[in-house]
Amino acid sequence: MNQCAENMHEEGVSSEYTPITPQKEECVYTSCYCEENVWKLCEYIKNQQTCPVDEVYAVFISNEKRTIPIWKQKSSRGDEPVIWDYHVVLLHFSKQGRGFIYDLDTALPFPCLFDVYSREAFRSDHFLKPEFRRKLRVIPAVTYLKKFASDRSHMKHSNGTWRMPPPFYPCIETAESKMNLDDFISMDTNVGCGEVYKLSDFVQHFGAK
């Protein structure tokens, strides 16, 4: 039994779930480019048909201040959260109503049961100052694959050098855009694709009923 199944079994959930991506260490991954890592996961799922693609979503986590805490990240120190300007994960919400989060930057299982990830990584907004409360933009994978574009300029210093090394493959672009990342990070409901949720509404909508 793999680690994922063991962890799900420990949480009292059937281990019959079959992951829809490669094993974590085999996924296309570039540190600090979570939006592209998730795009590549969506591409893999669509191309390999590992599940109905309409069950899959890219989830951007941010807020108006771009200061969002997430716990259980690989770069966490002890039980302290990492404060990101934004983060992106993949959500698989099956026809049976079960949710799984795929986060390539988490110390939790990959994939992780939605309710476990929510409890351990998101925790709650109730005890946070308003500027740290999370919002989430949920975009169908097909839409994300068609619409997302990034020229990676947000990862360059003013002198043109990289803040972090870029992915090895060409920039993701569409016929309409070379850079629209900010439209996905924005939690303005009048901008971009998908649906925007407060954390509590997101957990209620996709969590176990």
Side-chain angles (χ1 to χ4, degrees), residues 22-77:
Q23 292 185 7
K24 190 174 188 177
E25 60 273 13
E26 296 174 359
C27 292
V28 175
Y29 176 79
T30 309
S31 179
C32 296
Y33 292 82
C34 54
E35 66 280 356
E36 295 199 34
N37 296 334
V38 169
W39 194 94
K40 283 293 186 182
L41 290 179
C42 291
E43 181 184 53
Y44 175 90
I45 292 161
K46 180 173 180 279
N47 290 345
Q48 300 300 317
Q49 301 179 341
T50 53
C51 77
V53 73
D54 62 354
E55 297 180 355
V56 181
Y57 302 85
V59 180
F60 277 72
I61 309 146
S62 193
N63 60 23
E64 287 76 9
K65 298 287 187 181
R66 295 198 180 186
T67 51
I68 52 118
I70 300 182
W71 281 261
K72 301 293 184 179
Q73 295 283 278
K74 289 188 298 188
S75 53
S76 297
R77 294 184 178 181

Side-chain angles (χ1 to χ4, degrees), residues 9-208:
H9 186 69
E10 287 164 7
E11 292 290 343
V13 176
S14 169
S15 59
E16 293 172 0
Y17 176 72
T18 302
I20 59 173
T21 70
Q23 292 185 7
K24 190 174 188 177
E25 60 273 13
E26 296 174 359
C27 292
V28 175
Y29 176 79
T30 309
S31 179
C32 296
Y33 292 82
C34 54
E35 66 280 356
E36 295 199 34
N37 296 334
V38 169
W39 194 94
K40 283 293 186 182
L41 290 179
C42 291
E43 181 184 53
Y44 175 90
I45 292 161
K46 180 173 180 279
N47 290 345
Q48 300 300 317
Q49 301 179 341
T50 53
C51 77
V53 73
D54 62 354
E55 297 180 355
V56 181
Y57 302 85
V59 180
F60 277 72
I61 309 146
S62 193
N63 60 23
E64 287 76 9
K65 298 287 187 181
R66 295 198 180 186
T67 51
I68 52 118
I70 300 182
W71 281 261
K72 301 293 184 179
Q73 295 283 278
K74 289 188 298 188
S75 53
S76 297
R77 294 184 178 181
D79 197 41
E80 293 298 312
V82 174
I83 308 296
W84 296 112
D85 50 352
Y86 69 95
H87 189 45
V88 190
V89 300
L90 183 139
L91 167 65
H92 179 207
F93 191 65
S94 73
K95 293 291 192 294
Q96 292 74 36
R98 292 201 301 167
F100 297 87
I101 295 287
Y102 290 74
D103 180 359
L104 285 163
D105 293 291
T106 191
L108 295 167
F110 181 89
C112 187
L113 281 163
F114 181 94
D115 295 303
V116 175
Y117 189 93
S118 175
R119 183 177 71 239
E120 298 289 334
F122 290 145
R123 303 197 178 180
S124 173
D125 272 350
H126 292 314
F127 63 92
L128 296 179
K129 294 178 181 178
E131 61 265 31
F132 293 105
R133 292 174 186 166
R134 282 70 54 90
K135 289 186 178 180
L136 303 98
R137 182 180 290 275
V138 181
I139 308 119
V142 171
T143 303
Y144 191 50
L145 288 169
K146 287 180 180 176
K147 299 288 188 181
F148 174 77
S150 175
D151 62 7
R152 302 170 183 158
S153 56
H154 66 297
M155 292 300 292
K156 285 187 176 181
H157 294 289
S158 56
N159 65 1
T161 60
W162 292 105
R163 297 176 188 273
M164 291 292 287
F168 62 89
Y169 50 84
C171 293
I172 299 166
E173 58 184 50
T174 70
E176 292 77 31
S177 180
K178 292 186 182 298
M179 181 59 165
N180 57 20
L181 174 60
D182 280 347
D183 290 347
F184 290 89
I185 298 172
S186 171
M187 293 298 147
D188 182 345
T189 55
N190 296 313
V191 172
C193 309
E195 297 286 333
V196 176
Y197 296 84
K198 293 188 297 185
L199 178 61
S200 57
D201 293 337
F202 175 75
V203 171
Q204 183 175 13
H205 187 84
F206 292 104

